[in-house]
Amino acid sequence: MAEMKTYTPPKVWTQDADSGGRFASINRPVAGPTSEKDLPVGKHPFQLYSLATPNGVKVTVLFEELLAAGHTGAEYDAWIINIMEGDQFTSGFVSANPNSKIPALMDHSGDKPQRVFESASIMLHLAEKFGAFIPETPSDRTEMLSWLFWQMGSAPYLGGGFGHFYAYAPEKWQYPIDRFTMEAKRQLDVLDRHLAENEWMAGSYSIADMAIWSWYGQLVLGRLYDAAEFLDVTSYKNVLRWAETIDARPAVKRGRMVNRAFGDDLSMQLRERHDASDFQTKTQDKIEAAEG
């Protein structure tokens, strides 16, 4: 590990060219749009604007689970938002999500379009609209909401904390890596202890499982930050059992593919999704084979 450099904060912080490291081109200390561009709108009631990061995967997994459960009204168009190119700062996207973070949803199923932003809010909106993947009993519903919001509060330590300093920071610094590794492992232990006595996070399979799996399940399956060995994920046996069970669900596999534009396996990339048949005909391997 490189030795930590001493930093004396100025009286008033200002952004410089090095602020943000790998993400300097898209990090900025102000909100609002940087360009004028409308969002595309497809044929379905739900228009999703996203990318297959863990927060994006939460929502596409839920959409695919709803469709697999027979909720045909949950058909959706999924448009890719390239965050490394600043698509999240266009006027159209900022109108859908003033916080300029994926995912954002426009629901056209009612009398007027309804924007929904923040992944947990989108999941609750859809689960309540279709009466699916949300517990019916007050006790289980409360437990589910507690775990859903546990994920929302905890994942920034995993992503912006551990993931950033372990995988993305321009230099390896021991203090922040140690600090956030301890917290990531503590969170995994919280899950492991709960799942030792429960098959699912709250009663039956729910949006809490989907949301938590998108971060912690994929982490223990070796898909985030190339950190599985470093975090000794095999020691969290209950989390692994739960993660593998969810990963085997066909709807989850489809959800992982939507808005995916990275990775070596082009057959797992469905950059836009407008119909169920797209999974068979429009994955990136088939598109490139047709073009070649």
Side-chain angles (χ1 to χ4, degrees):
M1 296 284 184
E3 184 178 345
M4 285 285 287
K5 299 176 183 177
T6 300
Y7 171 65
T8 302
K11 289 185 177 180
V12 178
W13 182 88
T14 56
Q15 186 177 22
D16 61 38
D18 294 329
S19 298
R22 174 177 171 181
F23 303 101
S25 64
I26 61 170
N27 285 343
R28 58 198 185 106
V30 296
T34 59
S35 63
E36 293 293 322
K37 184 180 180 181
D38 292 334
L39 291 174
V41 179
K43 62 183 179 180
H44 297 302
F46 298 102
Q47 300 294 303
L48 180 66
Y49 306 95
S50 191
L51 187 68
T53 66
N55 285 332
V57 165
K58 296 178 194 176
V59 177
T60 50
V61 164
L62 175 55
F63 267 121
E64 293 301 325
E65 290 282 19
L66 287 167
L67 292 169
H71 297 282
T72 56
E75 269 294 351
Y76 69 108
D77 292 279
W79 306 90
I80 197 164
I81 298 296
N82 190 328
I83 61 175
M84 297 306 293
E85 294 183 2
D87 290 352
Q88 70 275 36
F89 300 124
T90 63
S91 58
F93 192 86
V94 173
S95 292
N97 183 355
N99 196 38
S100 292
K101 301 290 185 181
I102 62 93
L105 177 72
M106 292 299 300
D107 180 353
H108 297 269
S109 65
D111 295 335
K112 62 179 182 179
Q114 173 68 56
R115 75 178 185 184
V116 195
F117 58 92
E118 290 296 325
S119 55
S121 180
I122 295 172
M123 297 182 86
L124 272 173
H125 178 76
L126 294 171
E128 290 179 339
K129 181 177 283 285
F130 292 100
F133 302 111
I134 187 167
E136 295 181 359
T137 67
S139 177
D140 284 347
R141 177 184 170 86
T142 299
E143 180 77 359
M144 186 279 295
L145 289 172
S146 292
W147 283 111
L148 179 64
F149 290 109
W150 175 87
Q151 184 276 311
M152 293 295 287
S154 297
Y157 288 95
L158 177 58
F162 171 77
H164 177 78
F165 286 104
Y166 180 77
Y168 301 132
E171 296 181 40
K172 300 293 186 187
W173 294 326
Q174 184 171 354
Y175 175 78
I177 291 175
D178 283 351
R179 166 68 181 87
F180 290 112
T181 296
M182 284 189 284
E183 178 60 15
K185 288 179 72 65
R186 189 193 68 81
Q187 292 173 5
L188 286 168
D189 194 41
V190 169
L191 288 174
D192 203 60
R193 290 168 184 267
H194 178 72
L195 291 167
E197 299 178 356
N198 298 274
E199 182 180 8
W200 305 108
M201 296 309 302
S204 58
Y205 180 58
S206 72
I207 57 174
D209 294 284
M210 300 176 207
I212 295 169
W213 178 88
S214 297
W215 279 98
Y216 298 88
Q218 295 203 94
L219 178 70
V220 300
L221 291 171
R223 296 179 186 147
L224 294 185
Y225 314 127
D226 194 22
E229 182 179 7
F230 181 75
L231 292 172
D232 188 24
V233 299
T234 56
S235 65
Y236 304 102
K237 299 186 185 304
N238 302 302
V239 180
L240 271 173
R241 180 268 307 163
W242 166 86
E244 290 168 351
T245 299
I246 294 175
D247 196 53
R249 296 175 69 92
V252 172
K253 180 178 180 179
R254 292 194 297 274
R256 283 188 58 226
M257 295 169 64
V258 178
N259 293 149
R260 186 175 180 85
F262 45 84
D264 296 330
D265 188 353
L266 297 181
S267 69
M268 284 294 292
Q269 296 184 21
L270 182 62
R271 298 186 179 182
E272 289 187 6
R273 188 265 191 217
H274 304 290
D275 189 85
S277 63
D278 292 347
F279 291 100
Q280 284 72 49
T281 62
K282 295 185 179 178
T283 52
Q284 196 63 22
D285 60 323
K286 293 182 174 65
I287 289 175
E288 294 190 10
E291 291 174 348

